[in-house]
Amino acid sequence: MKLTVVGCSGSFPSPGSACSSYLVEADGFRLLLDMGNGALGELQRHVGLYDLDAIFLSHLHADHCIDMCAYFVVRYYRFDGGRPAAIPVYGPEGTERRLTTAHADTPSDHAMSEVFDFHTLKSGSFEIGPFSVRTEKVCHPVETFGIRIEHEGRALTYSGDTGACEALAELAQGADLFLCEASFVHGKEDIPGLHLNGREAGEYAARAGAGRLVLTHIPPWTDAERNLADAREVYEGPVEVAAPGAVYEV
């Protein structure tokens, strides 16, 4: 599998990064994980507008899904070549309603479903293209799912947004790469059920025996180097902070 970081800023875009969006590729299949603020523009650096095969939305906060409204325009109003077939979109219950409300001026109440083939996420295992995936609810104020993606004996886990929870440890168990949010700073913010800090991300990676840890979803007001140092104190494997355009072979 190939993982490309499209955007990795937490909560709102930074001067150097769009919000959460990650491209996973294998066997010519392209799966996008989240499409937050600014992600659609950055995505075009890595893949054509109509070359995605499926989209996974971890949850319906704007910094993970709002550019789906712009992507609706791209697909619905395409005249050169005709409107493309509906692309599978895996999201929490209410995804279509959320995007329709956010766009606010769709031609009809069902226009979103004309270009997006919505699938409601539940905890469990299923297939997306060549990938075997497992999704589990994680701990966040709205319904949110982490995802484990497996292909040819390799595994990638993406936390989504989460506070401490057992489901995250299970999804990350033995993962070759663990893409984990680290929004908070150890010893500074302490809000249960919202986000992790760098130290907690490192603890989960160590507990899971993950092969590599990549910290992501760090807001512009958070010191990423502090979070990196905190993760390294508790996790002995390779760890780094996600950066736009970074590519990982999993």
Side-chain angles (χ1 to χ4, degrees), residues 50 74-86 107 111 114-115:
Y50 304 100
V74 168
R75 298 186 74 88
Y76 191 89
Y77 294 103
R78 181 190 184 193
F79 291 100
D80 185 12
R83 186 181 296 169
E114 293 181 38
V115 294

Side-chain angles (χ1 to χ4, degrees), residues 5 24 29 53 66 68 78 126 128 162 170 178 189 201 205 208 241 247:
V5 177
V24 182
F29 191 94
D53 295 293
I66 202 62
M68 289 290 290
R78 181 190 184 193
F126 53 100
I128 301 179
T162 185
E170 295 174 1
F178 183 23
E189 298 103 339
V241 174
V247 175

